[in-house]
Amino acid sequence: MNEHVKNVMPETTDLSRRSFLVGTAAAGLVLGYAGVPGIGEALAAAPANFEPSVWYAIAPDGLVTVTCGKADMGQHIASTMAQIVCEELGAKWSDMRVNLASNDPKFNDPVLGAQITGGSWSTMMNFDAMSRAGAAGRMALAEGAAASMGVPAGELVVRDSVISHPKSKKQMSFADVVKSGKATKTFTPDELKAIKLKTPDQYTMIGVSVPQLDIPSKTNGTAKYGIDVMIPGMAYGALVTPPVRFGATVKSVDDSAAKKVPGFIKAVTIDDKTQTTSGWVVAVASTYANAKKAAAALKISYDGGPNAKLSSQSLLDEAMRLQKLDDSGQFFVKDGDVAAALGTAAKVLEAEYTTSINIHAPMEPMNATAEFKGDILHIYSGNQFATRSGAIAAGAAGIDPKFVVMHQMWLGGGFGRRLDADMMVPAVQAAKAVGKPVKVIYTRENDMTMDFSRPLTYQKVKAGVDGDGKLVALSHDVVSAWPTARWGIPDFLSPSVDKKGPLDAFTVNGSDFFYTVPNHNVRAIKNEMAHNATPSGQLRSVAPGWTFWAVESMIDEIAAATGKDPAQFRISLLDGAGKNDGGAQRLRNTLLAAMGLAGYGTKKLPKGEGMGVACVSSQERATASWTACVAHVAVAPSGEVTVKKLTVATDVGTQVHPDNIRAQVEGAALWGLSLAMHEKATLKDGGIEQTNFDSYRPLRMSQMPEVAVAVIANGEKATGVGEPAVTVVAPAIGNAIFNASGARVRALPITAEAVKGAMKA
């Protein structure tokens, strides 16, 4: 009888801000799974499988199926997990398959202790666990083969799903060993931890651009996304959302016209005790087309609630008011004596930086299908945070989370949007109300106006330099809504250094940079008005998307004010002193790589063109990835900016799949470009004004610049690449605009009007 290897926690990373458990879901889902028709049978139907770990199984035909506990939204993380397992297992790549995990807590992230996908953490935090699982499987298979062959296990070679004994020329395939039933070795946690893994020079799979395992099913149409879910007898739900983003309530619903729509079943007013939604109504009908017709026919009266008169300007005014209060906010960084250093500085610079509301807008419309089977609620959806989403679904249903089973689907884009579970609330309540499965599909307008958006931010930075032009003090205030605080998971917040209570580090990460500045303060200030009126979420790259906009722009401003080259000025600050040792040097190296590849400082540019640099360590100091960018732009007298080229260098430590890394870096850089130059949502009368891609305009194909990428793989631990390049592009472009025209822009997105205005300033 085969037995499971028990996984152990990998070596501790500094994850104090990220370590958490959602207790109810983690502890209770076992009951739900025990009662799930189909799951128990599936496991029982494959008694001959060799399952050395929860993360993969080898069937009697030799196929290796890796179960991925991460949401795969196009970043190929399932293939990456399989590639890491494959390396240590010694399997043939063509024998590898992937499967998406359910929300069974046994599939929780081995570091985070929950199922969550984001932060560019997946490869970084799972590399060790997947490697050990693969190695343990190889050792168990080898022992089984040795017993069958009658040879010492230590003389066996495992390669390409074959275990061979060179001396006797005997060999067995993985399939042979599995069918023999002799792979029975188990590992204690200590034994698993003690396994000596391969060193980078021994890799044969890691670092190879193997074919991605999810591509065939996504190209032949067999891959199932949430929107593809079909359940016999199910109905469809179309949303009617209120004119106010959050806080409105439904006063009355007149469904007399909707009743004339064929197939109309019921209008369900959402009563959401989880406070995820407010003022929503779902029209349920036999088809989605009829559900939309019925939704359009509903006559709904609203109370707009407390946020009905607010605008983007209201949120910005409030942010500026809060920043001026000495006692608002909590300190995230408090090094040295900033006030004293600013008081004696030879020169003090001060600047304000803003970013607008931004929308995720994944191409697959938000959707969820809910089905009650006896006591168990089944949810079918593509979701980035199954642990929390299960609790939201349970709250919407009024049941214990242990009775919720999430069926993870492929995601047609996520970017942080599917960390939220709002789509499950109407699906659950509609299914409960009509007594049959219901699939709810958002329209683009629903998604745009009800997105958990990137918050509007306001930052004020004050810097002091001494007589030699050396940066001696930096004060940085960050005012925004607090997206993570909205989740209500205390362990996801961080203690402030001034002990004034927890703060949302996801609003200030990145401001604790790797530059050496002896006196440095960062204050995180919650904009309660924005927090309530525009419930915000984690949009790809999260805080570093705005903190590095301010930091890297200000560093450029200081360099200009002191007559120094901005790149060389950064290099002088990246000296690796004290707590910055190691990180600063890696960041300096990526900056040098980007500069060299771009020809920074050597290439002569025409009048009106310029290059700007920026370098970042996003996401967090504890999970940093080292990324630098040189932007090359042309600025017309009208203020129109053409981004001609982005050169990005990134230090990933260990690269698992070079092509995939390059693709993610390119995509992230272009996403950053889109946020820097184009994307802007606005609040008016409490509602988001932009409803579709005609008014919310991301980067167009015709606006694509040349993108050059240099990947530094130095054998250090693997880092994440999905987001860092997002954060480095905007400041690099802003700095390039200054280099080309002398215009300093401090608001995102950058407009021609702002550039032209700054030219005159």
Side-chain angles (χ1 to χ4, degrees):
M1 178 180 173
N2 297 324
E3 295 186 37
H4 290 222
V5 173
K6 292 182 179 178
N7 279 305
V8 297
M9 293 282 283
E11 290 185 4
T12 303
T13 308
D14 180 10
L15 293 167
S16 56
R17 294 177 202 150
R18 297 295 177 87
S19 299
F20 66 95
L21 270 172
V22 180
T24 53
L29 279 170
V30 175
L31 178 59
Y33 273 83
V36 179
I39 290 184
E41 292 86 331
L43 294 174
N49 280 3
F50 172 53
E51 299 179 37
S53 161
V54 299
W55 300 115
Y56 68 97
I58 306 177
D61 60 4
L63 294 180
V64 183
T65 300
V66 172
T67 297
C68 178
K70 296 295 177 182
D72 197 316
M73 56 199 100
Q75 84 279 35
H76 302 300
I77 191 61
S79 278
T80 297
M81 295 295 112
Q83 195 168 350
I84 298 169
V85 170
C86 186
E87 175 68 67
E88 291 286 350
L89 180 61
K92 185 164 60 177
W93 184 244
S94 60
D95 288 342
M96 302 299 291
R97 303 289 185 272
V98 291
N99 183 40
L100 301 179
S102 65
N103 67 324
D104 190 323
K106 69 181 181 181
F107 298 119
N108 283 355
D109 185 290
V111 173
L112 295 169
Q115 286 191 42
I116 181 169
T117 306
S120 300
W121 300 334
S122 296
T123 301
M124 177 190 305
M125 293 187 180
N126 288 265
F127 192 98
D128 186 81
M130 294 300 150
S131 296
R132 293 187 187 281
R138 182 192 71 240
M139 295 166 72
L141 287 166
E143 283 212 358
S148 295
M149 295 179 190
V151 300
E155 295 180 359
L156 295 175
V157 175
V158 183
R159 183 179 300 149
D160 291 338
S161 300
V162 174
I163 303 166
S164 58
H165 184 245
K167 289 182 180 178
S168 65
K169 300 191 183 308
K170 293 178 180 178
Q171 66 177 35
M172 295 179 73
S173 67
F174 281 9
D176 294 334
V177 181
V178 172
K179 284 185 286 192
S180 75
K182 292 186 177 179
T184 58
K185 180 178 175 59
T186 60
F187 292 78
T188 66
D190 286 342
E191 289 172 332
L192 196 59
K193 189 175 182 180
I195 292 175
K196 187 176 181 181
L197 300 176
K198 291 182 178 179
T199 54
D201 60 303
Q202 296 173 315
Y203 289 155
T204 58
M205 286 294 302
I206 301 295
V208 178
S209 297
V210 294
Q212 302 283 12
L213 298 175
D214 54 322
I215 292 295
S217 64
K218 289 179 177 176
T219 51
N220 65 25
T222 57
K224 297 299 181 188
Y225 295 79
I227 203 166
D228 296 323
V229 169
M230 299 293 289
I231 296 176
M234 76 177 189
Y236 293 81
L239 292 176
V240 184
T241 52
V244 174
R245 170 61 190 89
F246 193 81
T249 54
V250 175
K251 294 168 63 177
S252 65
V253 179
D254 177 356
D255 64 354
S256 54
K259 288 178 177 176
K260 298 176 184 176
V261 176
F264 173 69
I265 299 172
K266 192 172 187 177
V268 180
T269 300
I270 301 302
D271 180 17
D272 182 10
K273 298 292 191 298
T274 72
Q275 288 291 297
T276 305
T277 66
S278 71
W280 291 21
V281 177
V282 187
V284 184
S286 56
T287 67
Y288 184 56
N290 287 339
K292 288 184 67 177
K293 290 178 183 174
L298 293 175
K299 294 181 176 61
I300 303 172
S301 174
Y302 298 98
D303 179 336
N307 304 315
K309 299 297 182 184
L310 297 181
S311 66
S312 293
Q313 191 61 49
S314 306
L315 308 187
L316 181 60
D317 291 345
E318 175 66 3
M320 298 174 75
R321 185 189 73 81
L322 291 168
Q323 189 276 327
K324 291 175 182 172
L325 301 177
D326 291 337
D327 61 347
S328 62
Q330 294 108 307
F331 280 93
F332 179 57
V333 176
K334 200 170 178 60
D335 294 340
D337 188 337
V338 170
L342 288 173
T344 58
K347 183 179 291 188
V348 174
L349 291 79
E350 194 170 313
E352 299 170 332
Y353 301 92
T354 62
T355 64
S356 64
I357 298 169
N358 293 115
I359 295 172
H360 295 81
M363 291 309 294
E364 180 199 3
M366 302 299 290
N367 64 82
T369 302
E371 179 183 32
F372 289 89
K373 286 184 178 179
D375 292 333
I376 307 299
L377 168 59
H378 292 255
I379 296 287
Y380 303 81
S381 189
N383 186 255
Q384 292 177 244
F385 198 171
T387 308
R388 175 174 177 262
S389 297
I392 294 285
I399 62 176
D400 192 295
K402 66 186 179 184
F403 294 107
V404 176
V405 172
M406 303 278 298
H407 298 260
Q408 179 69 297
M409 313 302 292
W410 297 98
L411 282 64
F415 322 116
R417 176 64 180 92
R418 287 182 163 91
L419 287 166
D420 275 292
D422 48 302
M423 62 282 198
M424 295 170 193
V425 176
V428 166
Q429 296 207 347
K432 192 173 183 179
V434 303
K436 58 171 58 182
V438 174
K439 180 197 289 188
V440 167
I441 305 172
Y442 285 31
T443 62
R444 180 59 61 192
E445 288 76 10
N446 293 147
D447 195 21
M448 288 275 191
T449 54
M450 292 294 143
D451 183 34
F452 291 88
S453 53
R454 185 166 97 165
L456 176 150
T457 69
Y458 170 76
Q459 300 174 80
K460 188 160 188 175
V461 186
K462 188 181 289 187
V465 296
D466 64 15
D468 296 325
K470 182 181 178 182
L471 178 60
V472 295
L474 194 79
S475 170
H476 185 179
D477 292 339
V478 183
V479 193
S480 73
W482 283 12
T484 316
R486 185 178 56 79
W487 286 356
I489 304 174
D491 287 348
F492 233 133
L493 300 179
S494 302
S496 61
V497 296
D498 57 356
K499 304 186 187 306
K500 285 180 64 178
L503 58 80
D504 189 345
F506 290 86
T507 66
V508 283
N509 282 323
S511 60
D512 52 343
F513 44 62
F514 284 83
Y515 294 128
T516 295
V517 182
N519 304 286
H520 181 205
N521 283 353
V522 178
R523 188 165 55 135
I525 302 171
K526 183 181 182 183
N527 186 339
E528 197 74 47
M529 179 189 289
H531 188 77
N532 295 330
T534 56
S536 59
Q538 278 73 7
L539 188 145
R540 189 178 187 179
S541 81
V542 199
W546 57 82
T547 57
F548 280 122
W549 164 241
V551 169
E552 287 299 293
S553 296
M554 191 60 168
I555 293 293
D556 224 68
E557 296 205 45
I558 299 167
T562 55
K564 298 181 178 179
D565 175 83
Q568 296 302 329
F569 184 60
R570 284 173 170 80
I571 289 168
S572 71
L573 294 172
L574 293 169
D575 58 11
K579 66 180 182 181
N580 297 321
D581 184 30
Q585 291 90 335
R586 293 181 74 174
L587 191 55
R588 180 192 63 203
N589 290 344
T590 60
L591 176 58
L592 290 169
M595 291 165 61
L597 187 61
Y600 179 89
T602 61
K603 189 176 288 185
K604 291 187 177 180
L605 302 177
K607 185 180 179 182
E609 294 189 15
M611 287 187 182
V613 302
C615 56
V616 301
S617 54
S618 59
Q619 287 290 329
E620 308 84 25
R621 279 182 71 96
T623 61
S625 291
W626 321 100
T627 305
C629 177
V630 178
H632 176 188
V633 307
V635 182
S638 64
E640 291 290 337
V641 176
T642 301
V643 179
K644 298 174 73 72
K645 185 175 181 179
L646 298 173
T647 302
V648 181
T650 186
D651 173 357
V652 301
T654 294
Q655 60 175 348
V656 177
H657 192 290
D659 279 356
N660 193 38
I661 289 172
R662 186 172 294 274
Q664 288 212 58
V665 173
E666 288 175 349
L670 294 173
W671 189 289
L673 170 59
S674 187
L675 290 169
M677 302 298 295
H678 302 286
E679 298 186 40
K680 182 177 183 178
T682 51
L683 191 75
K684 183 180 180 182
D685 295 331
I688 297 296
E689 292 187 282
Q690 293 70 28
T691 59
N692 213 316
F693 290 118
D694 59 335
S695 51
Y696 188 81
R697 293 176 62 85
L699 180 75
R700 297 316 205 224
M701 293 288 283
S702 61
Q703 297 165 321
M704 286 269 291
E706 179 183 357
V707 180
V709 175
V711 177
I712 300 169
N714 51 24
E716 296 285 341
K717 289 184 178 179
T719 64
V721 295
E723 295 165 298
V726 173
T727 70
V728 76
V729 168
I733 291 174
N735 297 337
I737 292 170
F738 179 79
N739 180 249
S741 66
R744 175 62 65 184
V745 286
R746 300 187 179 91
L748 295 182
I750 299 167
T751 65
E753 292 76 18
V755 173
K756 189 173 182 179
M759 285 179 181
K760 297 175 181 175

